[in-house]
Amino acid sequence: MPQNADKVIDHEMLFREPEYQELFKNKKENFEFNHSDVKVQEIRDWTKSREYMEKNFARDSLVVNPAKACQPLGAVYVANGFHKTLSFVHGSQGCVAYYRSHFSRHFKEPTSCVSSSMTEDAAVFGGLNNMIDGLANTYNLYKPDMIAVSTTCMAEVIGDDLDAFIKNSKQKGSIPADFDVPFAHTPAFVGSHITGYDNALLGVLKHFWDGKAGTAEPLTRVPDASINFIGGFDGFVVGNMREIKRIFDLFGADYNIICDPSEVWDTPTDGEFRMYEGGTTKETVEKALNAKATIVFQEYCAEKTIKYLKEKGQEVVVLNCPVGVAGTDRFIQAIADLTGKDVPDQLIKERGRLVDAMADSQAHLHGKRFAMYGDPDQLLGLTEFILELGAEPAHVLSTNGTEDWAGKVQKLFDASPYGAGCKAYPKRDLWHMRSLMNVEPVDFLIGNTYGKYLERDTGTPLIRMVFPIFDRHHYHRFPTWGYEGALRTLVMFLDEYFETLDANTIIPGKTDYSYDIIR
């Protein structure tokens, strides 16, 4: 074989070597027994037709490559957002390995999470013993200040009662009786990662505000002038949370960030391993009950939590991942209204710089057609920004979006001349998106790493703006929210546009009449 100690070849070129090519050819001819290349191409071409698209959209009992993850992933996200809190997932070890790897591959940081390691016997007899042993190991080995428990499919199918299991574990001495163990049932076979985020966050708030599962007196709300902020499930949280804090600080506001994993997913390399870094403290959670209001950036990621906050007497300002001018304006105005303070001059200047940048580049993006998929709130923000740029969000698809969400997207379309002919697709998957992009082509696709297969299949350039992003590094370190975040998003759009333009005009003497130095 060509790979040896004296000739180390990177994987990109290794499998192009003759020995490997012969191996692949032999495997295909003698073991795969495929249809002919002509037949395969015939079927492939048919799946790109309008006839096939109509059949594709008619299916109602099959999902092909959904653009969402499962509930426990959102619960693990929430646990990482609280100070010295360890996520404990009651279920199989393999599930937890997926959650840890998913976050670690996106943020390029370790993601701490433990499992009760349920196996076949626990699936039959219940996982109480796994919970008792698991909580004891977690408490003694990793020494957290709080353990946040959630579930996987296995625990939910057999009906394990987390409240009873945790109390039994305390009675058995696994953890101290007064140790904080908020919990949430997060069955992976319903909802998505944003549902799990909502359930887990609600579980934390209820634990502290409503008497710690009946073991303490509920807290009494004493209203003050502070403002709570809930960002929701966000793959750009490292950059976004710092931008949000900066904006609040410019106002001089008294604020509480509820669930802040930005530090644990951005630890420095300085010789010290930080298993727990940053995060919302328990004291902040308790103080947050007294807040005047809560600003929630993701309506569909916090539906139950929003209802609970209102029941507690708080004013709730609900936004949808503000990206661009109008979305950020609403956020800034909400802070001004709640604090009674004028908008800082620095933010006014940042707004003007964003508008100037948009005007500088408007000619390039005007009229370009976009397809995009992701979480419902994020797509609302991106749709509004794309319309502000004079571009057309032709296909907006959300697997975990509802008809209500689709109606809100349609209102954005109706409010802009660039929204004519654009459509929102709730509860659809990436195989639906493939049909749309083949039958009704667009100029650019916005999605996550998995969109690269759509890019290869349809030839549509991909802009990575959706979690998870595995095949590019450090996008999460930069904001997408606020005026500064919108500027970063604009640059990402423009970079892909100019890269595509250069690639299409690069052949000397044939297409390089537009291979320009100045764009």
Side-chain angles (χ1 to χ4, degrees):
M1 301 298 272
Q3 185 80 291
N4 57 65
D6 297 322
K7 182 185 177 184
V8 178
I9 305 175
D10 187 76
H11 67 88
E12 178 188 354
M13 303 303 297
L14 176 64
F15 298 110
R16 303 182 192 183
E17 293 289 312
E19 293 89 341
Y20 280 105
Q21 290 299 306
E22 183 64 27
L23 186 152
F24 296 149
K25 179 182 178 182
N26 179 63
K27 179 175 179 287
K28 183 176 181 180
E29 291 178 350
N30 297 304
F31 297 97
E32 293 182 357
F33 305 111
N34 285 342
H35 291 284
S36 68
D37 291 342
V38 173
K39 185 63 175 178
V40 170
Q41 186 60 47
E42 178 186 334
I43 298 300
R44 181 182 291 120
D45 291 342
W46 176 67
T47 64
K48 297 180 179 182
S49 68
R50 182 171 293 277
E51 177 191 8
Y52 180 83
M53 186 179 81
E54 292 173 355
K55 292 180 180 294
N56 190 12
F57 272 79
R59 61 183 161 93
D60 58 7
S61 301
L62 173 69
V63 176
V64 183
N65 200 5
K68 66 172 185 176
C70 59
Q71 279 206 52
L73 186 80
V76 173
Y77 181 105
V78 168
N80 277 270
F82 291 90
H83 183 62
K84 290 199 73 173
T85 297
L86 189 54
S87 177
F88 182 105
V89 182
H90 185 47
S92 67
Q93 196 166 352
C95 291
V96 175
Y98 154 65
Y99 312 139
R100 294 176 64 182
S101 65
H102 220 59
F103 286 125
S104 297
R105 288 167 178 169
H106 175 85
F107 292 109
K108 313 303 179 192
E109 294 282 344
T111 298
S112 298
C113 178
V114 298
S115 167
S116 60
S117 299
M118 293 175 65
T119 53
E120 290 85 352
D121 58 339
V124 175
F125 301 108
L128 176 58
N129 289 333
N130 297 70
M131 178 73 74
I132 293 171
D133 294 341
L135 287 177
N137 289 337
T138 302
Y139 178 77
N140 289 295
L141 287 175
Y142 304 113
K143 306 191 184 312
D145 283 352
M146 183 164 75
I147 299 172
V149 178
S150 54
T151 55
T152 66
C153 298
M154 184 186 297
E156 289 296 328
V157 167
I158 62 178
D160 280 359
D161 185 338
L162 291 185
D163 185 30
F165 280 20
I166 292 167
K167 288 174 179 174
N168 277 327
S169 298
K170 289 184 175 182
Q171 290 173 2
K172 295 287 186 180
S174 294
I175 50 178
D178 60 350
F179 190 80
D180 291 309
V181 188
F183 64 88
H185 287 274
T186 52
F189 43 78
V190 294
S192 70
H193 56 287
I194 63 173
T195 319
Y197 177 100
D198 193 12
N199 286 333
L201 185 62
L202 181 62
V204 173
L205 295 181
K206 281 189 171 183
H207 174 80
F208 286 101
W209 293 0
D210 289 349
K212 301 187 177 182
T215 63
E217 287 296 319
L219 298 180
T220 301
R221 183 169 184 263
V222 181
D224 58 28
S226 66
I227 304 170
N228 297 330
F229 177 82
I230 296 175
F233 190 105
D234 174 31
F236 293 82
V237 66
V238 171
N240 277 338
M241 201 60 82
R242 288 173 184 160
E243 180 64 12
I244 294 302
K245 292 175 184 176
R246 185 183 71 89
I247 291 172
F248 274 115
D249 288 339
L250 286 172
F251 273 96
D254 179 9
Y255 63 96
N256 311 300
I257 304 293
I258 300 178
C259 185
D260 178 10
S262 60
E263 295 299 318
V264 76
W265 281 325
D266 192 30
T267 58
T269 297
D270 57 3
E272 177 187 351
F273 172 62
R274 295 167 171 83
M275 185 169 181
Y276 309 107
E277 181 77 356
T280 303
T281 64
K282 293 188 283 187
E283 293 74 20
T284 299
V285 176
E286 292 178 348
K287 176 179 178 291
L289 174 62
N290 303 323
K292 175 181 181 180
T294 298
I295 297 176
V296 180
F297 258 28
Q298 296 198 49
E299 173 184 9
Y300 295 98
C301 193
E303 291 179 322
K304 296 176 184 176
T305 302
I306 289 169
K307 180 180 177 182
Y308 178 72
L309 292 168
K310 291 179 178 178
E311 290 171 353
K312 291 297 181 182
Q314 292 188 11
E315 178 183 351
V316 182
V317 179
V318 180
L319 303 172
N320 303 102
C321 285
V323 182
V325 180
T328 304
D329 285 352
R330 289 191 291 272
F331 173 51
I332 299 299
Q333 190 60 52
I335 300 176
D337 292 342
L338 291 170
T339 60
K341 298 181 179 182
D342 294 332
V343 176
D345 289 342
Q346 184 170 335
L347 291 175
I348 294 174
K349 288 183 179 179
E350 288 175 10
R351 184 186 191 277
R353 293 176 187 135
L354 171 60
V355 172
D356 181 67
M358 292 167 64
D360 290 342
S361 307
Q362 188 270 345
H364 297 288
L365 296 178
H366 177 83
K368 293 295 180 288
R369 286 167 53 83
F370 287 78
M372 61 181 123
Y373 64 88
D375 290 338
D377 291 287
Q378 184 180 24
L379 292 180
L380 281 164
L382 286 170
T383 296
E384 186 170 38
F385 185 42
I386 288 172
L387 291 169
E388 288 178 343
L389 295 170
E392 301 172 13
H395 313 308
V396 183
L397 181 149
S398 181
T399 305
N400 47 4
T402 62
E403 293 294 339
D404 175 75
W405 164 80
K408 289 195 172 188
V409 178
Q410 187 61 49
K411 286 183 179 179
L412 292 175
F413 294 155
D414 295 341
S416 169
Y418 308 110
C422 300
K423 187 174 179 181
Y425 298 88
K427 302 185 185 303
R428 299 295 186 177
D429 55 46
L430 295 188
W431 197 248
H432 291 113
M433 178 63 86
R434 178 182 179 273
S435 283
L436 288 169
M437 293 173 65
N438 279 308
V439 177
E440 301 174 12
V442 295
D443 297 295
F444 298 98
L445 170 67
I446 296 175
N448 56 23
T449 285
Y450 297 105
K452 70 189 302 179
Y453 297 106
L454 287 171
E455 179 180 41
R456 181 177 65 179
D457 199 8
T458 66
T460 308
L462 171 65
I463 302 170
R464 292 161 175 82
M465 293 290 300
V466 176
F467 176 91
I469 300 172
F470 295 152
D471 62 336
R472 298 292 185 272
H473 288 206
H474 308 304
Y475 284 11
H476 64 277
R477 300 180 189 273
F478 299 93
T480 59
W481 294 342
Y483 302 126
E484 292 295 293
L487 184 58
R488 162 70 179 172
T489 303
L490 173 63
V491 171
M492 291 183 71
F493 290 175
L494 290 167
D495 280 352
E496 194 63 42
Y497 167 77
F498 289 127
E499 288 288 349
T500 302
L501 182 58
D502 283 348
N504 289 336
T505 59
I506 203 169
I507 303 175
K510 291 186 177 181
T511 62
D512 63 343
Y513 45 80
S514 291
Y515 195 65
D516 296 332
I517 296 297
I518 300 172
R519 296 293 194 191

